[in-house]
Each structure stands twice: as C-alpha cells, then as structure tokens.
Amino acid sequence: MILMNGLCEEGDVYGAMEYMNVVGFNSNLVALNTMVDGWCKADWIDCALKIFDSMDTRDSFSHSSLIHNLCKDGRFRCASKLLLSCVRSGMSILPSTKHAVFDSLSRSGCQREAKRLKSEIKLALSAFV
C-alpha cells in the first residue's frame, strides 16, 4: 500500500495501477481509495470517477477525496450532488468537505445553490435524528 501511495504521489498512477493488479489489491478499499486520490492529484478526475464508480464498497474517505478534488477541478455541481447523496444515505462526511463545496459554489457565483444545498443537507440530517 505504501508503494502504491508513493507511486501516486510521484505521478506514476499507471505504475500504481499495475502494482495493484499484480499483488491483487483490485477489491481492497484502501488500495482503491489510494488510486482515486492518486488520479485526482494527477488531474485525471475522469479516471478517478471511473474507479470510484466501479468500487463495490466506498467509505467517507472515498467520497471526501473525490468531492474535494471535484471542487478543485471546478466541478462544483457534481461535487454538490455527490455530497448530497452521501448525506441522504446517512454517510458521515467531514465538515471540511461540506465547507469546500459551499465555498466553491459561493465563490463561483452560485450563492443561491450553496444556500439551497445547506438547506437540503439540514433536512436530510434531520431525518436521521
């Protein structure tokens, strides 16, 4: 796992994928999260989305990593949809992830959408109380 992370940090995401397949990490959540994060850091968000979509199991790290990187890439609406689906499914999402989406929407001139998203998240959270 450390080798995969190191390869991703060096920008060798293909090498990390090859290593992952050779050692049999294809269904390992931590390995897949590393790959999603690595593809995002290499500015290959679409590849990260494909891996994310293919994952049988996802955790809050999977979602948080992708949401943050979608915001960095300017895909605020996609990030807000993913965030809202996480909250509606009962997944615990870091406050920093929520704020990244709110701030990104607001800075891009979508204050109304940011406000609507906050309201929808509050409504979704109240369903779990």
Side-chain angles (χ1 to χ4, degrees):
M1 209 64 62
I2 294 170
L3 181 59
M4 281 182 50
N5 192 44
L7 288 167
C8 285
E9 286 180 4
E10 292 298 316
D12 187 6
V13 183
Y14 289 110
M17 278 186 64
E18 186 177 320
Y19 176 76
M20 183 175 86
N21 290 327
V22 167
V23 295
F25 285 156
N26 309 31
S27 61
N28 182 301
L29 180 61
V30 175
L32 291 169
N33 282 343
T34 299
M35 292 307 302
V36 167
D37 195 50
W39 282 111
C40 287
K41 287 178 181 173
D43 291 327
W44 290 59
I45 303 292
D46 291 325
C47 291
L49 281 166
K50 286 179 185 176
I51 292 172
F52 181 84
D53 288 339
S54 74
M55 294 169 67
D56 293 329
T57 306
R58 301 176 192 128
D59 62 5
S60 60
F61 180 80
S62 312
H63 288 89
S64 293
S65 175
L66 191 56
I67 291 169
H68 272 282
N69 284 292
L70 284 167
C71 288
K72 285 181 185 176
D73 196 48
R75 300 184 193 190
F76 315 123
R77 287 192 172 87
C78 185
S80 71
K81 287 178 186 178
L82 183 56
L83 173 61
L84 190 56
S85 73
C86 292
V87 173
R88 285 181 175 158
S89 70
M91 182 170 289
S92 178
I93 297 294
L94 295 169
S96 61
T97 301
K98 294 175 193 172
H99 291 295
V101 177
F102 299 146
D103 293 345
S104 295
L105 285 169
S106 295
R107 278 186 301 219
S108 68
C110 301
Q111 290 87 358
R112 187 174 295 165
E113 191 169 334
K115 191 173 183 177
R116 182 191 56 77
L117 179 62
K118 285 181 185 180
S119 297
E120 288 187 41
I121 287 174
K122 283 182 185 178
L123 181 63
L125 290 173
S126 68
F128 293 104
V129 176

